[in-house]
Amino acid sequence: MAIDARTRKKLVRILKLLGSDNPGERDSAALAAHKLVASLDTDWDTLLEPPPDTKVVVRRVREWDINHQEAAETRIRQLRDTNERQARQIRGLRTRVNSLLDRERLRRAGEDDEDEIRTDG
């Protein structure tokens, strides 16, 4: 069953009140919505059903001259290239981290030597 635009707007305004923080306002909104639907001589199931003349149109996309195997192989090559590039980046980052760690170890070892000299002296 379809309802007119004015009644629909009224129902929407009432239903928005169901999200109120005030329990009394929520209760009143629920009762008002129920009374409005009852005044239309219908029920919620009927009101919420899509109109029977609603048509669903399904269109197929035509694939012209698409070679799926070639497309898949191209995508695989792209993924391999990406994988190799990321592997090179990871190796470079590991080398950089290791050199920074070595530098930090040498710096700490130098500080330890200086501490020993100060305590001995």
Side-chain angles (χ1 to χ4, degrees):
M1 170 187 184
I3 60 174
D4 62 41
R6 184 175 173 208
T7 308
R8 183 183 173 285
K9 284 182 182 180
K10 183 176 181 179
L11 182 59
V12 167
R13 278 196 317 269
I14 293 169
L15 292 176
K16 285 181 180 180
L17 293 173
L18 292 175
S20 171
D21 292 334
N22 185 334
E25 200 169 59
R26 285 193 307 261
D27 294 345
S28 295
L31 184 59
H34 174 74
K35 286 181 179 180
L36 180 63
V37 171
S39 73
L40 298 172
D41 292 326
T42 187
D43 59 8
W44 286 102
D45 290 330
T46 307
L47 183 68
L48 296 176
E49 270 185 34
D53 61 336
T54 301
K55 294 180 182 177
V56 176
V57 178
V58 177
R59 295 186 180 158
R60 295 194 62 161
V61 176
R62 295 181 189 244
E63 298 175 352
W64 299 96
D65 299 327
I66 293 178
N67 183 340
H68 292 285
Q69 181 178 355
E70 184 179 320
E73 289 171 353
T74 300
R75 184 65 180 137
I76 289 170
R77 278 194 303 278
Q78 290 172 343
L79 292 171
R80 282 185 183 147
D81 290 345
T82 301
N83 194 18
E84 289 171 9
R85 186 178 68 252
Q86 289 175 342
R88 284 192 304 272
Q89 289 174 343
I90 289 170
R91 283 193 299 272
L93 289 170
R94 280 186 182 149
T95 302
R96 187 172 176 198
V97 166
N98 287 335
S99 70
L100 290 172
L101 286 173
D102 290 342
R103 224 182 285 163
E104 181 64 18
R105 283 188 199 115
L106 289 173
R107 187 186 65 76
R108 286 186 182 178
E111 286 178 359
D112 290 344
D113 290 343
E114 288 178 12
D115 288 344
E116 285 181 24
I117 292 171
R118 284 187 211 140
T119 55
D120 289 341

